[in-house]
Amino acid sequence: MSPAFLERYRGGFFALFSFLLIGLLWEFAVSANWINPLFVSRPSAVWTQIMAQVSSGELLQNFSISLIEFMIGFGLAMMLGVALGVLAGWFRTVEYALDPFIWFTYAAPLIAFYPLFVANLGLGAPTVIAIAFLFALPAIYANTLSGIQNVDQDMVRMATSFGAGRRDIFLRVALPASMSMVVAGLRLSIGRALTGVVVAEIFGATAGLGYSITYYGQQLQTAQMLVSLLAVVAFGVLLTQTLAAFEARLDWRSAPGT
């Protein structure tokens, strides 16, 4: 492998090495009877259960259900959050009108309202989607709002000096300049939406990764429980790292010659 390749993926190599080291220490600690496998299982047992659940289709079924709920909740939050953030960032009156409701959803422990969601939407997917939506919305809105309001004023003045009107400044300056902040908000909201899905499934669902976690956890089948937990973690890391890479490409403000 070339030095350039190693330098480019050095962070990934160190992360993989750390993960493997922790797994080896975990396996050794259980084999040496330093920790009780009933409560933490062991990597070899978890791997066996991964293969078993993949073969039976259980993991794919639970993952598919959680993925659909996540994508609907996150997608709705993305569309509404970006739209409201743009409007609030460009029109101060809209910001004043929306702020109390948005910050309520950000500061309030939304899971405490779970019984209200169940009473109105019932157990299952609708409630899970609603909670994921509300978990994700504030971060998307806040970052979009900040991106629109903190556009480089030198760029605005330059555009104005070339005859750009308010509409041109909005479409050609404010929106492109805020994209990096918008993507950062999406990246932050992924974890919140995923948390909403898992927590809602833990409280009341009949399928999904969250349901699987609580089902096996109650039976102290730790290895089976960790399969779903690792699936949640891997999915969240994959999405956030993908958006982080996309965000880096959008950060044109720091690129020379742009």
Side-chain angles (χ1 to χ4, degrees):
M1 290 181 289
S2 65
F5 178 85
L6 293 174
E7 179 64 25
R8 181 178 181 180
Y9 296 102
R10 181 176 59 178
F13 287 135
F14 277 107
L16 180 60
F17 174 77
S18 300
F19 181 78
L20 292 175
L21 180 61
I22 291 173
L24 290 173
L25 292 175
W26 178 9
E27 184 75 28
F28 176 78
V30 173
S31 299
N33 293 320
W34 292 350
I35 52 179
N36 190 343
L38 177 65
F39 302 111
V40 297
S41 188
R42 59 198 304 164
S44 58
V46 174
W47 177 254
T48 300
Q49 287 302 318
I50 290 175
M51 294 295 99
Q53 290 191 26
V54 168
S55 299
S56 66
E58 178 184 351
L59 180 59
L60 179 60
Q61 180 183 8
N62 286 325
F63 179 78
S64 299
I65 292 170
S66 296
L67 176 63
I68 292 171
E69 293 166 343
F70 169 83
M71 294 303 292
I72 295 175
F74 180 76
L76 292 173
M78 178 177 65
M79 291 187 291
L80 187 61
V82 170
L84 293 180
V86 168
L87 289 173
W90 198 247
F91 301 104
R92 187 69 69 174
T93 304
V94 177
E95 180 187 2
Y96 293 151
L98 292 177
D99 265 2
F101 302 100
I102 296 296
W103 295 118
F104 171 79
T105 61
Y106 185 82
L110 293 177
I111 200 61
F113 296 92
Y114 183 82
L116 293 177
F117 287 111
V118 173
N120 289 277
L121 300 175
L123 292 171
T127 294
V128 175
I129 291 169
I131 291 178
F133 167 79
L134 290 176
F135 268 55
L137 181 65
I140 300 174
Y141 168 84
N143 273 58
T144 304
L145 171 70
S146 178
I148 294 291
Q149 289 184 341
N150 292 290
V151 174
D152 190 342
Q153 292 304 305
D154 289 337
M155 296 177 61
V156 174
R157 285 189 289 268
M158 183 183 301
T160 303
S161 69
F162 281 98
R166 184 172 173 82
R167 180 174 178 273
D168 293 323
I169 292 174
F170 175 73
L171 294 176
R172 299 179 180 274
V173 178
L175 281 182
S178 64
M179 282 305 298
S180 183
M181 286 292 292
V182 172
V183 175
L186 295 177
R187 178 168 55 84
L188 292 173
S189 65
I190 283 175
R192 292 179 58 86
L194 201 53
T195 299
V197 168
V198 173
V199 170
E201 288 179 344
I202 286 175
F203 271 89
T206 57
L209 294 175
Y211 168 78
S212 177
I213 290 171
T214 189
Y215 174 79
Y216 287 118
Q218 289 172 349
Q219 299 186 46
L220 292 180
Q221 295 179 339
T222 314
Q224 291 90 327
M225 179 193 72
L226 287 175
V227 172
S228 297
L229 184 60
L230 289 175
V232 171
V233 173
F235 179 63
V237 170
L238 176 63
L239 284 182
T240 53
Q241 290 304 307
T242 300
L243 275 178
F246 185 53
E247 179 187 353
R249 289 181 175 272
L250 284 176
D251 195 12
W252 56 272
R253 292 171 296 179
S254 61
T258 57

